[in-house]
Amino acid sequence: MSDLDIQKLSMRFDLPGGGSVQALKDVTLTLKEGELLSVLGPSGCGKTTLLNIVAGFLAPTEGTITLGGKKVTGPSAERGMVFQQGALFEWMDVRDNVSFGPRMRGQKPSQYRDEVNHLLDVVGLGDFKEKAIYELSGGMQQRVALARCLANHPDVILMDEPLGALDALTREKMQGLVLKLWKETGKTIILITHSVEEALLLGERLLVMAPRPGRIHKEYRLPFAETGVTQDLRQVKKTAEFGAVREEILGMIWDMEEEIMGRQEGA
Amino acid sequence: MELITSLAGELRTVLGTVLSAAPFIIGYVLLILGTLAVWKVIRQFLQPRRDYSALKTVTFGDESAVTSNTVASVISIALIFVLWGAFTGSKLLPGFLHVPGAFTGEGSFTYTAQGPDGSTDEATVMVRVFPAGSEADAPEAALGEGFAKDDGLAVQAYRSELLRFDDNDEFTRDDGASVVAIDGRPVEAGGPGVDVGFATVNVTGRGTLNITPDTGWQMEPIWLPAPEAVWSQLVKISSDGFRNSTLAEHLGYSLFRVIVGFLLGAIVGIPLGYAMGLSDWFRGWFDPIVEFMRPVPPLALIPLVILWAGIGEVGKIILLFLAALWIMAIAARSGVSGVRISKVHAAYSLGASKWQIMRHVIIPNSLPDIFTGARVAMGVCWGTVVAAELVAAEKGAGMMIMVASKFQSTDIVIMGIILIGVVGFSIDMLMRWAERILVPWKGRG
Ligand SMILES: Nc1ncnc2c1ncn2[C@@H]1O[C@H](COP(=O)(O)OP(=O)(O)OP(=O)(O)O)[C@@H](O)[C@H]1O
Ligand SMILES: [Mg+2]
């Protein structure tokens, strides 16, 4: 059982000019193996900070994270990350990017070749294996990033706005792909997004965070990801249920943003 | 205060020179615009249909659409050679394109001498003007009648010659004879000269005649030799050599110094830059040194290097090593610091070790910056080696033109400058080509 357990996580950044920012306060959360959690919240509420701590890039000021009972102390191959953009290695072609993890573990080409080819076929880049990264479009690059992460067999996949830089149409296709891969591989996924629709469509669970200090505001359990696996995502979006939850969450985030603005004007 | 006054004086001189050049610059610009107009007319005949770029709605402001016009480049280069040929009387150019040259051939004028008794007599001077590089005897002159006798004189083009007209006269200057008129026009000693058609003749303060043949508009070969003279020097020096070394040896030595100096600079500078990029201790240690040494022009180190290491190869290579070292160190440092943190994070979360991140992320990520640095360093090294050879060297491109200039062999100087330019340009092209092949992702991250 590789459950992800986040206990009483707090993060304070000390600013160089004195003073500090409380980016996270007392975040507690347990994610079962194979769950897909999407995280929403106004800008600056600590979403990226949370993900960076889970990935092991940042050490929290308080609290612990365990994955399958093992304490997280730094980055490791069991927690893969898909960045928004610019994290591919331009000096390698598509295939070398995807096989990076296995190669670093010392595997021979015969050991990973078939799987890498398969993954590239799955993400629709079968014909682009030898292409250079800078020859690909933004959406294709994100598919490479996804395949690179999957080729490394992480227990948890962390995604920080992986589709944020894509156009609406490509984004929709990629959402379908993420759902499909999630269902096929059964990975635990944390997905940060700014799009309420995306969070609803993909998240089995949804976390809405509030800022200052960054904390969990409300949690939802959603049925749409399950239906989305079999149905057309556009149809899912049109259902009344989907619309109702979307309005509720939009209103919630809107109120939070207004409060921030009000506080800033008052100060 | 004194400094400011003298600098202001210098500035006036410089501005005066610029102003005197202004008509030529304006003329050149007008010529460019003129060829542009002609080209537009010609193009309309060649391509009546408008090309795609002419369909743009924005015709000004889209600088990214400006590319180099090959026709303009060809005309520009051709014009340089035509002007060069026209002002040097090049044989490669049809004669009607030459600007008027210096007078050569024969001419004559008369002078009127006044004897001590106040009587005057006229005599003719035959002048033969011969081009530089040849020799000629003075023309034979019939003595003529009267007390002033005819003279003959040979003058080299672009030179002037004194004529002691009285050498063969019956009255000499010591007797009180003097010239009072040239070609019938009155002159006085030390006064302005008289134009006699092919030359200017004036009477010096001591009473002799000074004959200066017209120089025309062309440049004397000692200032600017014709293109074919430069070419024939190239042919001659590449087969016979210059100063005990062949042309290939001169260029080869210069290139050898640049390559060895640059490679040593890169071998030390790149690891130094990496250390500075990876460790704050190394960065703190070397930042003051590197930041101070970088703005010191390598040329300023020449005297010190000569004092320490003499004028041999070691000294030059030390100089070039220093020229390349700081550039390469800074390039490698910025290549390391410029790595996107998300790439490093991605590699860590894919299971890479520190050493693997160094090998597979940081080093390849720094290559574009290192190549940019290498291109700059090679350019600086090439400039520095030529300058160092100007100061002191036994062999080398810079030494060749410096020695040639001491012997006023302008053709060798110009040939050397052109070769130095060609080599420098080739080095840059080679580096660009290597960059395209080796770091094709440069600037496309
Ligand atoms: N390295 C840091 N040093 C200081 N403060 C930081 C640092 N990283 C983040 N913060 C602060 O922590 C808070 C949370 O930042 P974080 O990047 O996690 O927000 P976010 O929710 O991801 O925002 P966005 O939606 O805009 O990406 C912000 O107030 C930010 O200013
Ligand atoms: Mg005489």
Side-chain angles (χ1 to χ4, degrees), chain A:
Chain A
M1 283 304 282
S2 291
D3 291 354
L4 183 72
D5 193 28
I6 300 172
Q7 285 297 329
K8 292 244 179 196
L9 203 66
S10 294
M11 184 73 203
R12 203 180 59 244
F13 289 107
D14 292 321
L15 300 178
S20 62
V21 181
Q22 188 76 40
L24 290 176
K25 185 144 178 65
D26 287 337
V27 175
T28 298
L29 173 79
T30 303
L31 217 60
K32 287 215 175 54
E33 182 169 357
E35 277 185 325
L36 202 173
L37 172 81
S38 48
V39 182
L40 271 177
S43 185
C45 71
K47 304 183 293 292
T48 299
T49 306
L50 176 65
L51 213 64
N52 279 337
I53 294 173
V54 175
F57 304 143
L58 281 175
T61 38
E62 279 163 61
T64 53
I65 299 174
T66 53
L67 177 61
K70 244 177 43 203
K71 194 165 177 242
V72 166
T73 53
S76 127
E78 69 210 5
R79 279 160 284 122
M81 184 108 164
V82 179
F83 295 84
Q84 184 170 6
Q85 62 182 149
L88 294 173
F89 308 129
E90 290 94 19
W91 42 93
M92 300 175 191
D93 64 11
V94 169
R95 194 205 304 267
D96 285 352
N97 264 282
V98 175
S99 62
F100 185 81
R103 285 192 290 130
M104 293 305 107
R105 262 180 281 128
Q107 287 193 3
K108 294 193 174 55
S110 57
Q111 287 171 278
Y112 59 73
R113 189 188 298 124
D114 290 344
E115 192 192 357
V116 166
N117 286 344
H118 170 70
L119 275 171
L120 283 171
D121 286 338
V122 170
V123 298
L125 292 173
D127 296 336
F128 296 86
K129 297 188 183 83
E130 266 97 49
K131 279 268 190 299
I133 294 301
Y134 50 81
E135 292 174 300
L136 304 183
S137 73
M140 289 157 107
Q141 292 188 4
Q142 281 314 84
R143 281 184 272 164
V144 176
L146 212 56
R148 182 176 72 174
C149 188
L150 289 169
N152 206 37
H153 299 296
D155 297 330
V156 181
I157 299 178
L158 309 168
M159 304 191 186
D160 192 357
E161 294 180 48
L163 313 181
L166 305 182
D167 67 281
L169 210 67
T170 314
R171 191 165 185 163
E172 224 167 71
K173 283 189 204 148
M174 291 287 290
Q175 288 166 351
L177 180 65
V178 170
L179 265 186
K180 185 176 137 213
L181 290 172
W182 170 61
K183 211 59 230 174
E184 279 177 8
T185 59
K187 300 282 177 200
T188 313
I189 297 179
I190 300 182
L191 173 89
I192 291 179
T193 174
H194 271 142
S195 152
V196 175
E197 279 197 352
E198 187 168 287
L200 292 177
L201 277 176
L202 302 185
E204 212 181 0
R205 292 169 63 185
L206 168 64
L207 214 59
V208 181
M209 290 181 65
R212 305 191 176 202
R215 61 195 185 273
I216 297 175
H217 182 72
K218 193 158 181 189
E219 222 205 293
Y220 291 83
R221 284 202 168 266
L222 301 167
F224 309 115
E226 281 297 333
T227 44
V229 173
T230 48
Q231 277 183 30
D232 182 17
L233 292 183
R234 291 187 186 202
Q235 295 304 320
V236 177
K237 275 194 233 175
K238 280 188 196 142
T239 58
E241 205 186 348
F242 188 92
V245 186
R246 184 181 57 197
E247 289 314 308
E248 182 187 332
I249 292 174
L250 273 176
M252 192 185 302
I253 293 179
W254 188 246
D255 287 346
M256 278 189 241
E257 300 266 15
E258 284 223 307
E259 200 192 321
I260 298 173
M261 300 300 276
R263 246 193 285 173
Q264 272 166 357
E265 272 161 29

